[in-house]
Amino acid sequence: MVQQMLNSSKIADYRNDPMSFFDDLEFSGGRWGDCMPDWQWEELQQIAPSLLAVARGESPPIGRFWWERTKGASKDTDLAACVLWLLLFSVLPLLVQVGAGDKDQAGELHKAAADWLHFNTLLKAKIKLLGWEIKCERAVCEIVAADRTGSHGSRPDVLILNELHVANEEFSQNLMDNAGKMPNGLAIIATNAGHLDTWQHTWRTIAEESDRWHFHVIDTPAPWITPAELVEAEKRNPRSRYLRLWHGIWSSNAGDALLPAAIDSAFADKVAFIDSYQSGWMFVGGLDIGVRRDFSAFVAVGKHCETSRYRVARVWTWRPPHGGEVDLDSVTQTVIDAHQRFQFENVAADPNQARHLVQQASKVGVPIEAREQNGKTLLEQAMSLVEVFNARDIDCPADPQLEYDLRHLRLVERSYGFRILSDRSGEAGHGDVATALSIALAIAKPLEGMVGQFWGGHIPASSCPVPVHSEFSVHKRGGIGRLRF
């Protein structure tokens, strides 16, 4: 029945009633209408009359919709279904515009549309996915990203602003102003909960208080999100971010990357600095380079071979002199000397202004790599830092700069997830030590579970690297590593 929907006698029903179309769409082996929770069905019922009016060139009964949902609660799936109905059944030429902060965000609705075509194959005869467009005979959906060059268009009949909580303000404002030119237009804002004292929260307040807007919030986890997934999400996220994404609680935008209690725990045992390699530990180094404005910082981190517990071994900082620059030759020599003392498994450096340093250290045998600070690595570093501190799985020696940085970190939402940023006020640095620590923890994490697990045999954890002067390579699960004897 579903696969015959576009050439069946029900096509008139679909044209005159979007809910009939939504109900019959095939979704992962069944009818979508049979899969929806009540709130999802009711929300589509609310927007259906406005979709119908726009498709007929009439003024919609409600022209503005605010959809705020928790993470994974089907925003893109629902929006894509609405877009497909509009493209299929508009009687006039129609422009739908979907705006998002970057290409990754913009691609989510495109992927959701592709999923609908996968489950409802006869739709492919009418709908074409063409890069940044979804097209039908008389209508087109243009997907617009803030970081994409070219025209953003000016007169959309339907505007969808997706993931507003991480969107660019000027970009979003321009698109909303364009939508405001269309007296019979429709605008939908879809978002997770965001941060208080931001322009997004101001927009939310406007929508909540205005009679022009239908304002709808889902602030509980979607029923298909399992309890096990929520438990893991709570462990890997700062408390405020977990509550914001999974329970819809708008949070403060400052200073909440690490719980004060987690930082207190890390410094509670008053461990001493480590001066050199110790048996039973593996060591890595993280390097963040600043030259004029920022400090340079290098952090050596040990990971215990049996317990996988982390320990900050040493911290080095270089403050740029007034009107001058950090001596990068001094930084390079410190990294080389530290490797001779700790026998690092790996060292990673932010390559910005450090490429020559990486080359020089590599020439003398330091296992150093340039770690590009892109969305993937920034998220990985932030998550590594948060997870280790939330799990109370790290010990830190008394270092005022390290503690200051950790207590002044905040999380900032990005399209790829989140990243850590630091307080840039005052003269106490700009979070450079914490950044170096996050880099070190990110490259130390893959070492987890490797000790004693080798192809072709078992080497007990008590045989974890001991410092001598020769080495050979062995194949481990996850990569090739060195054992020194």
Side-chain angles (χ1 to χ4, degrees), residues 306-326:
E306 292 185 354
T307 67
S308 292
R309 187 169 183 82
Y310 299 89
R311 180 171 176 174
V312 174
R314 297 290 299 184
V315 175
W316 295 266
T317 58
W318 294 263
R319 180 174 184 164
H322 183 70
E325 298 181 353
V326 168

PDB file of all heavy atoms in Angstrom, residues 306-326:
ATOM      1  N   GLU A 306      48.256  -0.540  34.444  1.00  0.00           N
ATOM      2  CA  GLU A 306      47.267  -1.484  34.962  1.00  0.00           C
ATOM      3  C   GLU A 306      45.928  -0.826  35.248  1.00  0.00           C
ATOM      4  O   GLU A 306      44.880  -1.375  34.925  1.00  0.00           O
ATOM      5  CB  GLU A 306      47.806  -2.152  36.234  1.00  0.00           C
ATOM      6  CG  GLU A 306      48.988  -3.076  35.984  1.00  0.00           C
ATOM      7  CD  GLU A 306      49.420  -3.809  37.239  1.00  0.00           C
ATOM      8  OE1 GLU A 306      48.874  -3.511  38.320  1.00  0.00           O
ATOM      9  OE2 GLU A 306      50.302  -4.675  37.146  1.00  0.00           O
ATOM     10  N   THR A 307      45.941   0.369  35.870  1.00  0.00           N
ATOM     11  CA  THR A 307      44.686   0.998  36.295  1.00  0.00           C
ATOM     12  C   THR A 307      44.137   1.984  35.275  1.00  0.00           C
ATOM     13  O   THR A 307      42.971   2.377  35.364  1.00  0.00           O
ATOM     14  CB  THR A 307      44.885   1.744  37.620  1.00  0.00           C
ATOM     15  OG1 THR A 307      45.773   2.860  37.403  1.00  0.00           O
ATOM     16  CG2 THR A 307      45.461   0.818  38.687  1.00  0.00           C
ATOM     17  N   SER A 308      44.970   2.395  34.309  1.00  0.00           N
ATOM     18  CA  SER A 308      44.610   3.420  33.325  1.00  0.00           C
ATOM     19  C   SER A 308      44.319   4.766  33.973  1.00  0.00           C
ATOM     20  O   SER A 308      43.689   5.628  33.358  1.00  0.00           O
ATOM     21  CB  SER A 308      43.406   2.980  32.464  1.00  0.00           C
ATOM     22  OG  SER A 308      43.758   1.900  31.632  1.00  0.00           O
ATOM     23  N   ARG A 309      44.759   4.973  35.191  1.00  0.00           N
ATOM     24  CA  ARG A 309      44.589   6.265  35.843  1.00  0.00           C
ATOM     25  C   ARG A 309      45.624   7.246  35.293  1.00  0.00           C
ATOM     26  O   ARG A 309      46.747   6.891  34.984  1.00  0.00           O
ATOM     27  CB  ARG A 309      44.735   6.137  37.354  1.00  0.00           C
ATOM     28  CG  ARG A 309      44.390   7.428  38.098  1.00  0.00           C
ATOM     29  CD  ARG A 309      44.270   7.224  39.598  1.00  0.00           C
ATOM     30  NE  ARG A 309      43.874   8.445  40.265  1.00  0.00           N
ATOM     31  CZ  ARG A 309      42.632   8.895  40.360  1.00  0.00           C
ATOM     32  NH1 ARG A 309      41.651   8.167  39.830  1.00  0.00           N
ATOM     33  NH2 ARG A 309      42.347  10.017  40.983  1.00  0.00           N
ATOM     34  N   TYR A 310      45.213   8.509  35.171  1.00  0.00           N
ATOM     35  CA  TYR A 310      46.072   9.536  34.617  1.00  0.00           C
ATOM     36  C   TYR A 310      46.734  10.342  35.739  1.00  0.00           C
ATOM     37  O   TYR A 310      46.192  10.482  36.836  1.00  0.00           O
ATOM     38  CB  TYR A 310      45.274  10.493  33.727  1.00  0.00           C
ATOM     39  CG  TYR A 310      44.625   9.841  32.532  1.00  0.00           C
ATOM     40  CD1 TYR A 310      43.335   9.294  32.633  1.00  0.00           C
ATOM     41  CD2 TYR A 310      45.280   9.757  31.318  1.00  0.00           C
ATOM     42  CE1 TYR A 310      42.734   8.700  31.542  1.00  0.00           C
ATOM     43  CE2 TYR A 310      44.684   9.165  30.216  1.00  0.00           C
ATOM     44  CZ  TYR A 310      43.408   8.632  30.335  1.00  0.00           C
ATOM     45  OH  TYR A 310      42.810   8.034  29.256  1.00  0.00           O
ATOM     46  N   ARG A 311      47.882  10.904  35.395  1.00  0.00           N
ATOM     47  CA  ARG A 311      48.577  11.779  36.344  1.00  0.00           C
ATOM     48  C   ARG A 311      49.349  12.836  35.559  1.00  0.00           C
ATOM     49  O   ARG A 311      50.095  12.508  34.632  1.00  0.00           O
ATOM     50  CB  ARG A 311      49.538  10.967  37.208  1.00  0.00           C
ATOM     51  CG  ARG A 311      50.306  11.817  38.226  1.00  0.00           C
ATOM     52  CD  ARG A 311      51.066  10.927  39.177  1.00  0.00           C
ATOM     53  NE  ARG A 311      51.891  11.696  40.099  1.00  0.00           N
ATOM     54  CZ  ARG A 311      52.568  11.175  41.115  1.00  0.00           C
ATOM     55  NH1 ARG A 311      52.510   9.853  41.332  1.00  0.00           N
ATOM     56  NH2 ARG A 311      53.297  11.937  41.901  1.00  0.00           N
ATOM     57  N   VAL A 312      49.131  14.078  35.927  1.00  0.00           N
ATOM     58  CA  VAL A 312      49.930  15.144  35.334  1.00  0.00           C
ATOM     59  C   VAL A 312      51.330  15.042  35.920  1.00  0.00           C
ATOM     60  O   VAL A 312      51.517  15.136  37.142  1.00  0.00           O
ATOM     61  CB  VAL A 312      49.323  16.522  35.614  1.00  0.00           C
ATOM     62  CG1 VAL A 312      50.257  17.635  35.118  1.00  0.00           C
ATOM     63  CG2 VAL A 312      47.951  16.645  34.939  1.00  0.00           C
ATOM     64  N   ALA A 313      52.315  14.822  35.043  1.00  0.00           N
ATOM     65  CA  ALA A 313      53.684  14.612  35.500  1.00  0.00           C
ATOM     66  C   ALA A 313      54.447  15.927  35.644  1.00  0.00           C
ATOM     67  O   ALA A 313      55.062  16.189  36.680  1.00  0.00           O
ATOM     68  CB  ALA A 313      54.421  13.678  34.540  1.00  0.00           C
ATOM     69  N   ARG A 314      54.425  16.738  34.589  1.00  0.00           N
ATOM     70  CA  ARG A 314      55.135  18.012  34.605  1.00  0.00           C
ATOM     71  C   ARG A 314      54.353  19.040  33.797  1.00  0.00           C
ATOM     72  O   ARG A 314      53.618  18.692  32.861  1.00  0.00           O
ATOM     73  CB  ARG A 314      56.536  17.890  34.001  1.00  0.00           C
ATOM     74  CG  ARG A 314      57.484  16.978  34.726  1.00  0.00           C
ATOM     75  CD  ARG A 314      57.928  17.513  36.077  1.00  0.00           C
ATOM     76  NE  ARG A 314      58.647  18.780  35.988  1.00  0.00           N
ATOM     77  CZ  ARG A 314      59.191  19.394  37.044  1.00  0.00           C
ATOM     78  NH1 ARG A 314      59.103  18.842  38.248  1.00  0.00           N
ATOM     79  NH2 ARG A 314      59.820  20.534  36.907  1.00  0.00           N
ATOM     80  N   VAL A 315      54.530  20.303  34.139  1.00  0.00           N
ATOM     81  CA  VAL A 315      53.918  21.414  33.416  1.00  0.00           C
ATOM     82  C   VAL A 315      54.992  22.461  33.146  1.00  0.00           C
ATOM     83  O   VAL A 315      55.722  22.859  34.059  1.00  0.00           O
ATOM     84  CB  VAL A 315      52.764  22.055  34.225  1.00  0.00           C
ATOM     85  CG1 VAL A 315      52.231  23.286  33.499  1.00  0.00           C
ATOM     86  CG2 VAL A 315      51.643  21.054  34.461  1.00  0.00           C
ATOM     87  N   TRP A 316      55.094  22.876  31.890  1.00  0.00           N
ATOM     88  CA  TRP A 316      56.003  23.954  31.521  1.00  0.00           C
ATOM     89  C   TRP A 316      55.191  25.058  30.867  1.00  0.00           C
ATOM     90  O   TRP A 316      54.319  24.790  30.020  1.00  0.00           O
ATOM     91  CB  TRP A 316      57.058  23.481  30.521  1.00  0.00           C
ATOM     92  CG  TRP A 316      58.026  22.452  31.015  1.00  0.00           C
ATOM     93  CD1 TRP A 316      59.261  22.673  31.547  1.00  0.00           C
ATOM     94  CD2 TRP A 316      57.853  21.026  30.976  1.00  0.00           C
ATOM     95  NE1 TRP A 316      59.875  21.474  31.861  1.00  0.00           N
ATOM     96  CE2 TRP A 316      59.032  20.449  31.511  1.00  0.00           C
ATOM     97  CE3 TRP A 316      56.832  20.177  30.553  1.00  0.00           C
ATOM     98  CZ2 TRP A 316      59.209  19.082  31.627  1.00  0.00           C
ATOM     99  CZ3 TRP A 316      57.001  18.820  30.667  1.00  0.00           C
ATOM    100  CH2 TRP A 316      58.168  18.270  31.199  1.00  0.00           C
ATOM    101  N   THR A 317      55.460  26.305  31.225  1.00  0.00           N
ATOM    102  CA  THR A 317      54.788  27.437  30.592  1.00  0.00           C
ATOM    103  C   THR A 317      55.825  28.488  30.201  1.00  0.00           C
ATOM    104  O   THR A 317      56.840  28.664  30.878  1.00  0.00           O
ATOM    105  CB  THR A 317      53.738  28.080  31.516  1.00  0.00           C
ATOM    106  OG1 THR A 317      54.364  28.502  32.725  1.00  0.00           O
ATOM    107  CG2 THR A 317      52.608  27.110  31.820  1.00  0.00           C
ATOM    108  N   TRP A 318      55.533  29.185  29.105  1.00  0.00           N
ATOM    109  CA  TRP A 318      56.379  30.277  28.633  1.00  0.00           C
ATOM    110  C   TRP A 318      55.485  31.486  28.398  1.00  0.00           C
ATOM    111  O   TRP A 318      54.559  31.440  27.576  1.00  0.00           O
ATOM    112  CB  TRP A 318      57.076  29.918  27.328  1.00  0.00           C
ATOM    113  CG  TRP A 318      58.071  28.811  27.435  1.00  0.00           C
ATOM    114  CD1 TRP A 318      59.420  28.920  27.590  1.00  0.00           C
ATOM    115  CD2 TRP A 318      57.797  27.403  27.375  1.00  0.00           C
ATOM    116  NE1 TRP A 318      60.003  27.684  27.643  1.00  0.00           N
ATOM    117  CE2 TRP A 318      59.032  26.727  27.506  1.00  0.00           C
ATOM    118  CE3 TRP A 318      56.626  26.640  27.230  1.00  0.00           C
ATOM    119  CZ2 TRP A 318      59.124  25.341  27.497  1.00  0.00           C
ATOM    120  CZ3 TRP A 318      56.719  25.266  27.215  1.00  0.00           C
ATOM    121  CH2 TRP A 318      57.953  24.622  27.348  1.00  0.00           C
ATOM    122  N   ARG A 319      55.750  32.536  29.116  1.00  0.00           N
ATOM    123  CA  ARG A 319      54.963  33.762  28.977  1.00  0.00           C
ATOM    124  C   ARG A 319      55.695  34.728  28.047  1.00  0.00           C
ATOM    125  O   ARG A 319      56.896  34.975  28.230  1.00  0.00           O
ATOM    126  CB  ARG A 319      54.764  34.420  30.332  1.00  0.00           C
ATOM    127  CG  ARG A 319      53.944  35.700  30.278  1.00  0.00           C
ATOM    128  CD  ARG A 319      53.670  36.196  31.685  1.00  0.00           C
ATOM    129  NE  ARG A 319      52.806  37.365  31.682  1.00  0.00           N
ATOM    130  CZ  ARG A 319      52.161  37.816  32.753  1.00  0.00           C
ATOM    131  NH1 ARG A 319      52.309  37.179  33.915  1.00  0.00           N
ATOM    132  NH2 ARG A 319      51.393  38.877  32.679  1.00  0.00           N
ATOM    133  N   PRO A 320      55.026  35.271  27.039  1.00  0.00           N
ATOM    134  CA  PRO A 320      55.712  36.199  26.147  1.00  0.00           C
ATOM    135  C   PRO A 320      56.124  37.460  26.897  1.00  0.00           C
ATOM    136  O   PRO A 320      55.325  38.012  27.666  1.00  0.00           O
ATOM    137  CB  PRO A 320      54.671  36.505  25.065  1.00  0.00           C
ATOM    138  CG  PRO A 320      53.351  36.172  25.684  1.00  0.00           C
ATOM    139  CD  PRO A 320      53.605  35.068  26.651  1.00  0.00           C
ATOM    140  N   PRO A 321      57.361  37.913  26.737  1.00  0.00           N
ATOM    141  CA  PRO A 321      57.775  39.151  27.404  1.00  0.00           C
ATOM    142  C   PRO A 321      57.010  40.345  26.841  1.00  0.00           C
ATOM    143  O   PRO A 321      56.486  40.292  25.721  1.00  0.00           O
ATOM    144  CB  PRO A 321      59.266  39.240  27.066  1.00  0.00           C
ATOM    145  CG  PRO A 321      59.421  38.453  25.813  1.00  0.00           C
ATOM    146  CD  PRO A 321      58.409  37.341  25.888  1.00  0.00           C
ATOM    147  N   HIS A 322      56.920  41.397  27.613  1.00  0.00           N
ATOM    148  CA  HIS A 322      56.192  42.588  27.175  1.00  0.00           C
ATOM    149  C   HIS A 322      56.761  43.105  25.859  1.00  0.00           C
ATOM    150  O   HIS A 322      57.951  43.409  25.758  1.00  0.00           O
ATOM    151  CB  HIS A 322      56.285  43.683  28.246  1.00  0.00           C
ATOM    152  CG  HIS A 322      55.505  44.909  27.884  1.00  0.00           C
ATOM    153  ND1 HIS A 322      54.128  44.931  27.861  1.00  0.00           N
ATOM    154  CD2 HIS A 322      55.923  46.157  27.513  1.00  0.00           C
ATOM    155  CE1 HIS A 322      53.720  46.143  27.501  1.00  0.00           C
ATOM    156  NE2 HIS A 322      54.797  46.904  27.286  1.00  0.00           N
ATOM    157  N   GLY A 323      55.928  43.152  24.846  1.00  0.00           N
ATOM    158  CA  GLY A 323      56.353  43.614  23.541  1.00  0.00           C
ATOM    159  C   GLY A 323      57.179  42.617  22.762  1.00  0.00           C
ATOM    160  O   GLY A 323      57.670  42.939  21.665  1.00  0.00           O
ATOM    161  N   GLY A 324      57.363  41.406  23.294  1.00  0.00           N
ATOM    162  CA  GLY A 324      58.190  40.420  22.627  1.00  0.00           C
ATOM    163  C   GLY A 324      57.449  39.131  22.336  1.00  0.00           C
ATOM    164  O   GLY A 324      56.216  39.073  22.362  1.00  0.00           O
ATOM    165  N   GLU A 325      58.220  38.080  22.063  1.00  0.00           N
ATOM    166  CA  GLU A 325      57.655  36.799  21.688  1.00  0.00           C
ATOM    167  C   GLU A 325      58.260  35.682  22.526  1.00  0.00           C
ATOM    168  O   GLU A 325      59.372  35.803  23.043  1.00  0.00           O
ATOM    169  CB  GLU A 325      57.929  36.502  20.200  1.00  0.00           C
ATOM    170  CG  GLU A 325      57.307  37.493  19.244  1.00  0.00           C
ATOM    171  CD  GLU A 325      57.590  37.129  17.794  1.00  0.00           C
ATOM    172  OE1 GLU A 325      58.386  36.185  17.561  1.00  0.00           O
ATOM    173  OE2 GLU A 325      57.003  37.766  16.895  1.00  0.00           O
ATOM    174  N   VAL A 326      57.524  34.590  22.642  1.00  0.00           N
ATOM    175  CA  VAL A 326      58.037  33.385  23.289  1.00  0.00           C
ATOM    176  C   VAL A 326      59.205  32.846  22.468  1.00  0.00           C
ATOM    177  O   VAL A 326      59.156  32.813  21.229  1.00  0.00           O
ATOM    178  CB  VAL A 326      56.921  32.325  23.418  1.00  0.00           C
ATOM    179  CG1 VAL A 326      57.496  30.979  23.823  1.00  0.00           C
ATOM    180  CG2 VAL A 326      55.868  32.781  24.411  1.00  0.00           C
TER     181      VAL A 326
END
